[in-house]
Amino acid sequence: MKHSYNIKILVFLLFLILLWDYLNSGIIIKQKLFPQVLEDDNDDKKISIFILAGQSNMVGRGGVINKVWDKFVPPECSSDPRIIRVNENSELEIAKEPLHAGLDHPSKTCGVGPGMAFANAILKKVPNFGTIILVPSAFGGSSVSEWASSNSSLREKMINRTNQAVRYGGKIRGLLWYQGETDTQSEWNMRNFPGEYHKFIHILYKELLHPRVPFIQVALASGQGKSDLLERVRAAQLGMEDIITVDAMGLAVKSDGFHLTTMAQVHLGNMLADAFLKSYI
């Protein structure tokens, strides 16, 4: 009788343990990936979340020639256990180049972008910054209207994956945005660009529920249409208020005429890090 009672107690305790593991799965994952934050788990500054969105230059085509990536990873873009990414399955993993692998258009080839250089630059400049979670969400060839539409699948996926990252702990610290080349392709796109851009930012903050998150945009270095359309899109970008702008004009562009080279992406990542830290400190 006593033996049967002991077995029931053990089964009940096992059930409680399994239930606790299920309800706290996010905490368990965080402990495995982020051992350095356990000393002060209540300090959400230990984990900083950054969203990377826009189109192909944010995805990164550095090192891609004829749809083949040369696999060259500059030291500034190397992996670090303190830099995590949310992958295509909304799971956390150590980030590495190409950062947008599995997330871009299936017909495109991902190469080096600014994200890893950005994260590494922050950790170099602020060694005690903590852990960085990157949420790569850019999509090659996307127009601003695709991001701004009421039923945008691109924006929905970005928001959902960001919310998944928040579940693991930490706080959204910024959104890095590099988009506009597609909107230089035609007069119609260019005319609609300013209104659609304002609409996108308005909807974005409403859905993110984080109105004070810095929005850091990259002013175009190149376009896919006539030079006057590029300048007009750039003028709309540079005229935006209440956001932070990093100007990519002058950075080296590949022979295709509009994608940044690998080292230009490294330089851009450093520029983005400097812009963020000025707003953060």
mmCIF file with all atom_site columns, all heavy atoms in Angstrom, residues 75-99:
data_model
loop_
_atom_site.group_PDB
_atom_site.id
_atom_site.type_symbol
_atom_site.label_atom_id
_atom_site.label_alt_id
_atom_site.label_comp_id
_atom_site.label_asym_id
_atom_site.label_entity_id
_atom_site.label_seq_id
_atom_site.pdbx_PDB_ins_code
_atom_site.Cartn_x
_atom_site.Cartn_y
_atom_site.Cartn_z
_atom_site.occupancy
_atom_site.B_iso_or_equiv
_atom_site.pdbx_formal_charge
_atom_site.auth_seq_id
_atom_site.auth_comp_id
_atom_site.auth_asym_id
_atom_site.auth_atom_id
_atom_site.pdbx_PDB_model_num
ATOM 1   N N   . PRO A 1 75 ? 36.285 39.920 -41.386 1.00 0.00 ? 75 PRO A N   1
ATOM 2   C CA  . PRO A 1 75 ? 36.350 39.791 -39.921 1.00 0.00 ? 75 PRO A CA  1
ATOM 3   C C   . PRO A 1 75 ? 35.259 40.590 -39.215 1.00 0.00 ? 75 PRO A C   1
ATOM 4   O O   . PRO A 1 75 ? 34.759 40.176 -38.166 1.00 0.00 ? 75 PRO A O   1
ATOM 5   C CB  . PRO A 1 75 ? 37.742 40.330 -39.586 1.00 0.00 ? 75 PRO A CB  1
ATOM 6   C CG  . PRO A 1 75 ? 38.533 40.181 -40.836 1.00 0.00 ? 75 PRO A CG  1
ATOM 7   C CD  . PRO A 1 75 ? 37.565 40.360 -41.966 1.00 0.00 ? 75 PRO A CD  1
ATOM 8   N N   . GLU A 1 76 ? 34.888 41.729 -39.796 1.00 0.00 ? 76 GLU A N   1
ATOM 9   C CA  . GLU A 1 76 ? 33.857 42.580 -39.190 1.00 0.00 ? 76 GLU A CA  1
ATOM 10  C C   . GLU A 1 76 ? 32.480 41.924 -39.198 1.00 0.00 ? 76 GLU A C   1
ATOM 11  O O   . GLU A 1 76 ? 31.562 42.379 -38.523 1.00 0.00 ? 76 GLU A O   1
ATOM 12  C CB  . GLU A 1 76 ? 33.772 43.914 -39.941 1.00 0.00 ? 76 GLU A CB  1
ATOM 13  C CG  . GLU A 1 76 ? 35.035 44.752 -39.891 1.00 0.00 ? 76 GLU A CG  1
ATOM 14  C CD  . GLU A 1 76 ? 35.976 44.447 -41.031 1.00 0.00 ? 76 GLU A CD  1
ATOM 15  O OE1 . GLU A 1 76 ? 35.837 43.382 -41.674 1.00 0.00 ? 76 GLU A OE1 1
ATOM 16  O OE2 . GLU A 1 76 ? 36.867 45.291 -41.289 1.00 0.00 ? 76 GLU A OE2 1
ATOM 17  N N   . CYS A 1 77 ? 32.328 40.847 -39.972 1.00 0.00 ? 77 CYS A N   1
ATOM 18  C CA  . CYS A 1 77 ? 31.037 40.158 -40.094 1.00 0.00 ? 77 CYS A CA  1
ATOM 19  C C   . CYS A 1 77 ? 31.070 38.761 -39.482 1.00 0.00 ? 77 CYS A C   1
ATOM 20  O O   . CYS A 1 77 ? 30.180 37.949 -39.734 1.00 0.00 ? 77 CYS A O   1
ATOM 21  C CB  . CYS A 1 77 ? 30.632 40.055 -41.560 1.00 0.00 ? 77 CYS A CB  1
ATOM 22  S SG  . CYS A 1 77 ? 30.468 41.633 -42.402 1.00 0.00 ? 77 CYS A SG  1
ATOM 23  N N   . SER A 1 78 ? 32.104 38.468 -38.707 1.00 0.00 ? 78 SER A N   1
ATOM 24  C CA  . SER A 1 78 ? 32.254 37.125 -38.152 1.00 0.00 ? 78 SER A CA  1
ATOM 25  C C   . SER A 1 78 ? 31.201 36.832 -37.086 1.00 0.00 ? 78 SER A C   1
ATOM 26  O O   . SER A 1 78 ? 30.600 37.730 -36.512 1.00 0.00 ? 78 SER A O   1
ATOM 27  C CB  . SER A 1 78 ? 33.654 36.959 -37.555 1.00 0.00 ? 78 SER A CB  1
ATOM 28  O OG  . SER A 1 78 ? 33.871 37.921 -36.535 1.00 0.00 ? 78 SER A OG  1
ATOM 29  N N   . SER A 1 79 ? 30.970 35.544 -36.841 1.00 0.00 ? 79 SER A N   1
ATOM 30  C CA  . SER A 1 79 ? 29.994 35.125 -35.829 1.00 0.00 ? 79 SER A CA  1
ATOM 31  C C   . SER A 1 79 ? 30.522 35.396 -34.429 1.00 0.00 ? 79 SER A C   1
ATOM 32  O O   . SER A 1 79 ? 31.738 35.431 -34.191 1.00 0.00 ? 79 SER A O   1
ATOM 33  C CB  . SER A 1 79 ? 29.674 33.639 -35.979 1.00 0.00 ? 79 SER A CB  1
ATOM 34  O OG  . SER A 1 79 ? 28.976 33.402 -37.175 1.00 0.00 ? 79 SER A OG  1
ATOM 35  N N   . ASP A 1 80 ? 29.595 35.579 -33.509 1.00 0.00 ? 80 ASP A N   1
ATOM 36  C CA  . ASP A 1 80 ? 29.907 35.818 -32.109 1.00 0.00 ? 80 ASP A CA  1
ATOM 37  C C   . ASP A 1 80 ? 28.757 35.220 -31.301 1.00 0.00 ? 80 ASP A C   1
ATOM 38  O O   . ASP A 1 80 ? 27.592 35.417 -31.662 1.00 0.00 ? 80 ASP A O   1
ATOM 39  C CB  . ASP A 1 80 ? 30.013 37.333 -31.847 1.00 0.00 ? 80 ASP A CB  1
ATOM 40  C CG  . ASP A 1 80 ? 30.488 37.675 -30.448 1.00 0.00 ? 80 ASP A CG  1
ATOM 41  O OD1 . ASP A 1 80 ? 29.793 37.292 -29.480 1.00 0.00 ? 80 ASP A OD1 1
ATOM 42  O OD2 . ASP A 1 80 ? 31.529 38.335 -30.311 1.00 0.00 ? 80 ASP A OD2 1
ATOM 43  N N   . PRO A 1 81 ? 29.059 34.473 -30.242 1.00 0.00 ? 81 PRO A N   1
ATOM 44  C CA  . PRO A 1 81 ? 27.970 33.859 -29.465 1.00 0.00 ? 81 PRO A CA  1
ATOM 45  C C   . PRO A 1 81 ? 26.996 34.860 -28.869 1.00 0.00 ? 81 PRO A C   1
ATOM 46  O O   . PRO A 1 81 ? 25.898 34.488 -28.447 1.00 0.00 ? 81 PRO A O   1
ATOM 47  C CB  . PRO A 1 81 ? 28.716 33.082 -28.371 1.00 0.00 ? 81 PRO A CB  1
ATOM 48  C CG  . PRO A 1 81 ? 30.092 33.660 -28.326 1.00 0.00 ? 81 PRO A CG  1
ATOM 49  C CD  . PRO A 1 81 ? 30.387 34.116 -29.714 1.00 0.00 ? 81 PRO A CD  1
ATOM 50  N N   . ARG A 1 82 ? 27.378 36.144 -28.861 1.00 0.00 ? 82 ARG A N   1
ATOM 51  C CA  . ARG A 1 82 ? 26.476 37.173 -28.336 1.00 0.00 ? 82 ARG A CA  1
ATOM 52  C C   . ARG A 1 82 ? 25.543 37.729 -29.409 1.00 0.00 ? 82 ARG A C   1
ATOM 53  O O   . ARG A 1 82 ? 24.684 38.567 -29.115 1.00 0.00 ? 82 ARG A O   1
ATOM 54  C CB  . ARG A 1 82 ? 27.290 38.318 -27.729 1.00 0.00 ? 82 ARG A CB  1
ATOM 55  C CG  . ARG A 1 82 ? 28.124 37.935 -26.511 1.00 0.00 ? 82 ARG A CG  1
ATOM 56  C CD  . ARG A 1 82 ? 29.077 39.071 -26.143 1.00 0.00 ? 82 ARG A CD  1
ATOM 57  N NE  . ARG A 1 82 ? 30.078 39.279 -27.191 1.00 0.00 ? 82 ARG A NE  1
ATOM 58  C CZ  . ARG A 1 82 ? 30.955 40.287 -27.197 1.00 0.00 ? 82 ARG A CZ  1
ATOM 59  N NH1 . ARG A 1 82 ? 30.931 41.183 -26.226 1.00 0.00 ? 82 ARG A NH1 1
ATOM 60  N NH2 . ARG A 1 82 ? 31.838 40.398 -28.179 1.00 0.00 ? 82 ARG A NH2 1
ATOM 61  N N   . ILE A 1 83 ? 25.711 37.256 -30.657 1.00 0.00 ? 83 ILE A N   1
ATOM 62  C CA  . ILE A 1 83 ? 24.860 37.721 -31.753 1.00 0.00 ? 83 ILE A CA  1
ATOM 63  C C   . ILE A 1 83 ? 23.998 36.547 -32.227 1.00 0.00 ? 83 ILE A C   1
ATOM 64  O O   . ILE A 1 83 ? 24.520 35.544 -32.720 1.00 0.00 ? 83 ILE A O   1
ATOM 65  C CB  . ILE A 1 83 ? 25.683 38.271 -32.932 1.00 0.00 ? 83 ILE A CB  1
ATOM 66  C CG1 . ILE A 1 83 ? 26.633 39.375 -32.454 1.00 0.00 ? 83 ILE A CG1 1
ATOM 67  C CG2 . ILE A 1 83 ? 24.763 38.808 -34.026 1.00 0.00 ? 83 ILE A CG2 1
ATOM 68  C CD1 . ILE A 1 83 ? 27.585 39.872 -33.526 1.00 0.00 ? 83 ILE A CD1 1
ATOM 69  N N   . ILE A 1 84 ? 22.693 36.687 -32.050 1.00 0.00 ? 84 ILE A N   1
ATOM 70  C CA  . ILE A 1 84 ? 21.729 35.635 -32.372 1.00 0.00 ? 84 ILE A CA  1
ATOM 71  C C   . ILE A 1 84 ? 20.821 36.129 -33.493 1.00 0.00 ? 84 ILE A C   1
ATOM 72  O O   . ILE A 1 84 ? 20.583 37.319 -33.635 1.00 0.00 ? 84 ILE A O   1
ATOM 73  C CB  . ILE A 1 84 ? 20.857 35.311 -31.125 1.00 0.00 ? 84 ILE A CB  1
ATOM 74  C CG1 . ILE A 1 84 ? 21.722 35.098 -29.884 1.00 0.00 ? 84 ILE A CG1 1
ATOM 75  C CG2 . ILE A 1 84 ? 19.952 34.113 -31.375 1.00 0.00 ? 84 ILE A CG2 1
ATOM 76  C CD1 . ILE A 1 84 ? 22.652 33.930 -29.948 1.00 0.00 ? 84 ILE A CD1 1
ATOM 77  N N   . ARG A 1 85 ? 20.330 35.221 -34.302 1.00 0.00 ? 85 ARG A N   1
ATOM 78  C CA  . ARG A 1 85 ? 19.326 35.617 -35.293 1.00 0.00 ? 85 ARG A CA  1
ATOM 79  C C   . ARG A 1 85 ? 18.065 34.778 -35.117 1.00 0.00 ? 85 ARG A C   1
ATOM 80  O O   . ARG A 1 85 ? 18.103 33.639 -34.627 1.00 0.00 ? 85 ARG A O   1
ATOM 81  C CB  . ARG A 1 85 ? 19.856 35.482 -36.715 1.00 0.00 ? 85 ARG A CB  1
ATOM 82  C CG  . ARG A 1 85 ? 19.762 34.077 -37.297 1.00 0.00 ? 85 ARG A CG  1
ATOM 83  C CD  . ARG A 1 85 ? 19.730 34.089 -38.825 1.00 0.00 ? 85 ARG A CD  1
ATOM 84  N NE  . ARG A 1 85 ? 19.533 32.733 -39.341 1.00 0.00 ? 85 ARG A NE  1
ATOM 85  C CZ  . ARG A 1 85 ? 19.100 32.439 -40.563 1.00 0.00 ? 85 ARG A CZ  1
ATOM 86  N NH1 . ARG A 1 85 ? 18.816 33.409 -41.415 1.00 0.00 ? 85 ARG A NH1 1
ATOM 87  N NH2 . ARG A 1 85 ? 18.949 31.197 -40.965 1.00 0.00 ? 85 ARG A NH2 1
ATOM 88  N N   . VAL A 1 86 ? 16.934 35.342 -35.549 1.00 0.00 ? 86 VAL A N   1
ATOM 89  C CA  . VAL A 1 86 ? 15.684 34.596 -35.642 1.00 0.00 ? 86 VAL A CA  1
ATOM 90  C C   . VAL A 1 86 ? 15.639 34.031 -37.055 1.00 0.00 ? 86 VAL A C   1
ATOM 91  O O   . VAL A 1 86 ? 15.590 34.785 -38.021 1.00 0.00 ? 86 VAL A O   1
ATOM 92  C CB  . VAL A 1 86 ? 14.462 35.504 -35.383 1.00 0.00 ? 86 VAL A CB  1
ATOM 93  C CG1 . VAL A 1 86 ? 13.172 34.708 -35.496 1.00 0.00 ? 86 VAL A CG1 1
ATOM 94  C CG2 . VAL A 1 86 ? 14.566 36.152 -34.009 1.00 0.00 ? 86 VAL A CG2 1
ATOM 95  N N   . ASN A 1 87 ? 15.676 32.724 -37.187 1.00 0.00 ? 87 ASN A N   1
ATOM 96  C CA  . ASN A 1 87 ? 15.756 32.124 -38.519 1.00 0.00 ? 87 ASN A CA  1
ATOM 97  C C   . ASN A 1 87 ? 14.390 32.015 -39.181 1.00 0.00 ? 87 ASN A C   1
ATOM 98  O O   . ASN A 1 87 ? 13.378 32.526 -38.676 1.00 0.00 ? 87 ASN A O   1
ATOM 99  C CB  . ASN A 1 87 ? 16.471 30.767 -38.464 1.00 0.00 ? 87 ASN A CB  1
ATOM 100 C CG  . ASN A 1 87 ? 15.681 29.709 -37.692 1.00 0.00 ? 87 ASN A CG  1
ATOM 101 O OD1 . ASN A 1 87 ? 14.467 29.829 -37.477 1.00 0.00 ? 87 ASN A OD1 1
ATOM 102 N ND2 . ASN A 1 87 ? 16.360 28.659 -37.289 1.00 0.00 ? 87 ASN A ND2 1
ATOM 103 N N   . GLU A 1 88 ? 14.335 31.336 -40.327 1.00 0.00 ? 88 GLU A N   1
ATOM 104 C CA  . GLU A 1 88 ? 13.104 31.250 -41.100 1.00 0.00 ? 88 GLU A CA  1
ATOM 105 C C   . GLU A 1 88 ? 11.999 30.486 -40.378 1.00 0.00 ? 88 GLU A C   1
ATOM 106 O O   . GLU A 1 88 ? 10.816 30.603 -40.750 1.00 0.00 ? 88 GLU A O   1
ATOM 107 C CB  . GLU A 1 88 ? 13.381 30.601 -42.468 1.00 0.00 ? 88 GLU A CB  1
ATOM 108 C CG  . GLU A 1 88 ? 13.863 29.165 -42.419 1.00 0.00 ? 88 GLU A CG  1
ATOM 109 C CD  . GLU A 1 88 ? 15.377 29.041 -42.283 1.00 0.00 ? 88 GLU A CD  1
ATOM 110 O OE1 . GLU A 1 88 ? 16.021 29.994 -41.788 1.00 0.00 ? 88 GLU A OE1 1
ATOM 111 O OE2 . GLU A 1 88 ? 15.914 27.992 -42.676 1.00 0.00 ? 88 GLU A OE2 1
ATOM 112 N N   . ASN A 1 89 ? 12.353 29.714 -39.359 1.00 0.00 ? 89 ASN A N   1
ATOM 113 C CA  . ASN A 1 89 ? 11.358 28.984 -38.567 1.00 0.00 ? 89 ASN A CA  1
ATOM 114 C C   . ASN A 1 89 ? 11.042 29.686 -37.253 1.00 0.00 ? 89 ASN A C   1
ATOM 115 O O   . ASN A 1 89 ? 10.446 29.086 -36.362 1.00 0.00 ? 89 ASN A O   1
ATOM 116 C CB  . ASN A 1 89 ? 11.867 27.566 -38.290 1.00 0.00 ? 89 ASN A CB  1
ATOM 117 C CG  . ASN A 1 89 ? 12.080 26.777 -39.564 1.00 0.00 ? 89 ASN A CG  1
ATOM 118 O OD1 . ASN A 1 89 ? 11.243 26.785 -40.463 1.00 0.00 ? 89 ASN A OD1 1
ATOM 119 N ND2 . ASN A 1 89 ? 13.210 26.089 -39.654 1.00 0.00 ? 89 ASN A ND2 1
ATOM 120 N N   . SER A 1 90 ? 11.459 30.951 -37.148 1.00 0.00 ? 90 SER A N   1
ATOM 121 C CA  . SER A 1 90 ? 11.268 31.762 -35.934 1.00 0.00 ? 90 SER A CA  1
ATOM 122 C C   . SER A 1 90 ? 11.953 31.142 -34.729 1.00 0.00 ? 90 SER A C   1
ATOM 123 O O   . SER A 1 90 ? 11.511 31.304 -33.595 1.00 0.00 ? 90 SER A O   1
ATOM 124 C CB  . SER A 1 90 ? 9.771  31.977 -35.650 1.00 0.00 ? 90 SER A CB  1
ATOM 125 O OG  . SER A 1 90 ? 9.191  32.783 -36.660 1.00 0.00 ? 90 SER A OG  1
ATOM 126 N N   . GLU A 1 91 ? 13.044 30.437 -34.980 1.00 0.00 ? 91 GLU A N   1
ATOM 127 C CA  . GLU A 1 91 ? 13.849 29.856 -33.916 1.00 0.00 ? 91 GLU A CA  1
ATOM 128 C C   . GLU A 1 91 ? 15.131 30.673 -33.771 1.00 0.00 ? 91 GLU A C   1
ATOM 129 O O   . GLU A 1 91 ? 15.583 31.316 -34.716 1.00 0.00 ? 91 GLU A O   1
ATOM 130 C CB  . GLU A 1 91 ? 14.200 28.405 -34.244 1.00 0.00 ? 91 GLU A CB  1
ATOM 131 C CG  . GLU A 1 91 ? 12.984 27.508 -34.410 1.00 0.00 ? 91 GLU A CG  1
ATOM 132 C CD  . GLU A 1 91 ? 13.328 26.157 -35.025 1.00 0.00 ? 91 GLU A CD  1
ATOM 133 O OE1 . GLU A 1 91 ? 14.401 26.051 -35.654 1.00 0.00 ? 91 GLU A OE1 1
ATOM 134 O OE2 . GLU A 1 91 ? 12.512 25.237 -34.881 1.00 0.00 ? 91 GLU A OE2 1
ATOM 135 N N   . LEU A 1 92 ? 15.704 30.612 -32.581 1.00 0.00 ? 92 LEU A N   1
ATOM 136 C CA  . LEU A 1 92 ? 16.946 31.337 -32.336 1.00 0.00 ? 92 LEU A CA  1
ATOM 137 C C   . LEU A 1 92 ? 18.153 30.461 -32.646 1.00 0.00 ? 92 LEU A C   1
ATOM 138 O O   . LEU A 1 92 ? 18.163 29.268 -32.352 1.00 0.00 ? 92 LEU A O   1
ATOM 139 C CB  . LEU A 1 92 ? 17.013 31.798 -30.879 1.00 0.00 ? 92 LEU A CB  1
ATOM 140 C CG  . LEU A 1 92 ? 15.914 32.745 -30.387 1.00 0.00 ? 92 LEU A CG  1
ATOM 141 C CD1 . LEU A 1 92 ? 16.217 33.192 -28.974 1.00 0.00 ? 92 LEU A CD1 1
ATOM 142 C CD2 . LEU A 1 92 ? 15.763 33.942 -31.311 1.00 0.00 ? 92 LEU A CD2 1
ATOM 143 N N   . GLU A 1 93 ? 19.166 31.088 -33.250 1.00 0.00 ? 93 GLU A N   1
ATOM 144 C CA  . GLU A 1 93 ? 20.407 30.387 -33.530 1.00 0.00 ? 93 GLU A CA  1
ATOM 145 C C   . GLU A 1 93 ? 21.539 31.405 -33.615 1.00 0.00 ? 93 GLU A C   1
ATOM 146 O O   . GLU A 1 93 ? 21.296 32.601 -33.786 1.00 0.00 ? 93 GLU A O   1
ATOM 147 C CB  . GLU A 1 93 ? 20.308 29.604 -34.842 1.00 0.00 ? 93 GLU A CB  1
ATOM 148 C CG  . GLU A 1 93 ? 20.067 30.468 -36.065 1.00 0.00 ? 93 GLU A CG  1
ATOM 149 C CD  . GLU A 1 93 ? 19.854 29.651 -37.336 1.00 0.00 ? 93 GLU A CD  1
ATOM 150 O OE1 . GLU A 1 93 ? 19.504 28.464 -37.221 1.00 0.00 ? 93 GLU A OE1 1
ATOM 151 O OE2 . GLU A 1 93 ? 20.030 30.210 -38.429 1.00 0.00 ? 93 GLU A OE2 1
ATOM 152 N N   . ILE A 1 94 ? 22.765 30.931 -33.452 1.00 0.00 ? 94 ILE A N   1
ATOM 153 C CA  . ILE A 1 94 ? 23.913 31.826 -33.591 1.00 0.00 ? 94 ILE A CA  1
ATOM 154 C C   . ILE A 1 94 ? 23.906 32.420 -35.001 1.00 0.00 ? 94 ILE A C   1
ATOM 155 O O   . ILE A 1 94 ? 23.787 31.702 -35.993 1.00 0.00 ? 94 ILE A O   1
ATOM 156 C CB  . ILE A 1 94 ? 25.237 31.077 -33.346 1.00 0.00 ? 94 ILE A CB  1
ATOM 157 C CG1 . ILE A 1 94 ? 25.247 30.441 -31.943 1.00 0.00 ? 94 ILE A CG1 1
ATOM 158 C CG2 . ILE A 1 94 ? 26.424 32.018 -33.518 1.00 0.00 ? 94 ILE A CG2 1
ATOM 159 C CD1 . ILE A 1 94 ? 25.193 31.437 -30.824 1.00 0.00 ? 94 ILE A CD1 1
ATOM 160 N N   . ALA A 1 95 ? 24.011 33.740 -35.092 1.00 0.00 ? 95 ALA A N   1
ATOM 161 C CA  . ALA A 1 95 ? 23.950 34.414 -36.393 1.00 0.00 ? 95 ALA A CA  1
ATOM 162 C C   . ALA A 1 95 ? 25.249 34.239 -37.162 1.00 0.00 ? 95 ALA A C   1
ATOM 163 O O   . ALA A 1 95 ? 26.335 34.218 -36.581 1.00 0.00 ? 95 ALA A O   1
ATOM 164 C CB  . ALA A 1 95 ? 23.650 35.901 -36.196 1.00 0.00 ? 95 ALA A CB  1
ATOM 165 N N   . LYS A 1 96 ? 25.130 34.136 -38.466 1.00 0.00 ? 96 LYS A N   1
ATOM 166 C CA  . LYS A 1 96 ? 26.289 34.066 -39.345 1.00 0.00 ? 96 LYS A CA  1
ATOM 167 C C   . LYS A 1 96 ? 25.880 34.534 -40.735 1.00 0.00 ? 96 LYS A C   1
ATOM 168 O O   . LYS A 1 96 ? 24.696 34.584 -41.069 1.00 0.00 ? 96 LYS A O   1
ATOM 169 C CB  . LYS A 1 96 ? 26.855 32.644 -39.409 1.00 0.00 ? 96 LYS A CB  1
ATOM 170 C CG  . LYS A 1 96 ? 25.903 31.631 -40.034 1.00 0.00 ? 96 LYS A CG  1
ATOM 171 C CD  . LYS A 1 96 ? 26.536 30.242 -40.100 1.00 0.00 ? 96 LYS A CD  1
ATOM 172 C CE  . LYS A 1 96 ? 25.586 29.243 -40.765 1.00 0.00 ? 96 LYS A CE  1
ATOM 173 N NZ  . LYS A 1 96 ? 26.205 27.891 -40.859 1.00 0.00 ? 96 LYS A NZ  1
ATOM 174 N N   . GLU A 1 97 ? 26.869 34.868 -41.547 1.00 0.00 ? 97 GLU A N   1
ATOM 175 C CA  . GLU A 1 97 ? 26.595 35.229 -42.929 1.00 0.00 ? 97 GLU A CA  1
ATOM 176 C C   . GLU A 1 97 ? 26.319 33.966 -43.759 1.00 0.00 ? 97 GLU A C   1
ATOM 177 O O   . GLU A 1 97 ? 26.916 32.922 -43.503 1.00 0.00 ? 97 GLU A O   1
ATOM 178 C CB  . GLU A 1 97 ? 27.788 35.978 -43.532 1.00 0.00 ? 97 GLU A CB  1
ATOM 179 C CG  . GLU A 1 97 ? 28.078 37.319 -42.899 1.00 0.00 ? 97 GLU A CG  1
ATOM 180 C CD  . GLU A 1 97 ? 27.070 38.412 -43.245 1.00 0.00 ? 97 GLU A CD  1
ATOM 181 O OE1 . GLU A 1 97 ? 26.022 38.105 -43.870 1.00 0.00 ? 97 GLU A OE1 1
ATOM 182 O OE2 . GLU A 1 97 ? 27.334 39.570 -42.895 1.00 0.00 ? 97 GLU A OE2 1
ATOM 183 N N   . PRO A 1 98 ? 25.410 34.058 -44.737 1.00 0.00 ? 98 PRO A N   1
ATOM 184 C CA  . PRO A 1 98 ? 24.550 35.207 -45.023 1.00 0.00 ? 98 PRO A CA  1
ATOM 185 C C   . PRO A 1 98 ? 23.378 35.260 -44.036 1.00 0.00 ? 98 PRO A C   1
ATOM 186 O O   . PRO A 1 98 ? 22.684 34.270 -43.837 1.00 0.00 ? 98 PRO A O   1
ATOM 187 C CB  . PRO A 1 98 ? 24.079 34.954 -46.458 1.00 0.00 ? 98 PRO A CB  1
ATOM 188 C CG  . PRO A 1 98 ? 24.165 33.475 -46.631 1.00 0.00 ? 98 PRO A CG  1
ATOM 189 C CD  . PRO A 1 98 ? 25.277 32.994 -45.750 1.00 0.00 ? 98 PRO A CD  1
ATOM 190 N N   . LEU A 1 99 ? 23.190 36.423 -43.453 1.00 0.00 ? 99 LEU A N   1
ATOM 191 C CA  . LEU A 1 99 ? 22.230 36.598 -42.372 1.00 0.00 ? 99 LEU A CA  1
ATOM 192 C C   . LEU A 1 99 ? 20.795 36.307 -42.797 1.00 0.00 ? 99 LEU A C   1
ATOM 193 O O   . LEU A 1 99 ? 19.979 35.840 -41.999 1.00 0.00 ? 99 LEU A O   1
ATOM 194 C CB  . LEU A 1 99 ? 22.338 38.025 -41.834 1.00 0.00 ? 99 LEU A CB  1
ATOM 195 C CG  . LEU A 1 99 ? 21.592 38.365 -40.552 1.00 0.00 ? 99 LEU A CG  1
ATOM 196 C CD1 . LEU A 1 99 ? 22.058 37.472 -39.412 1.00 0.00 ? 99 LEU A CD1 1
ATOM 197 C CD2 . LEU A 1 99 ? 21.810 39.831 -40.199 1.00 0.00 ? 99 LEU A CD2 1
#
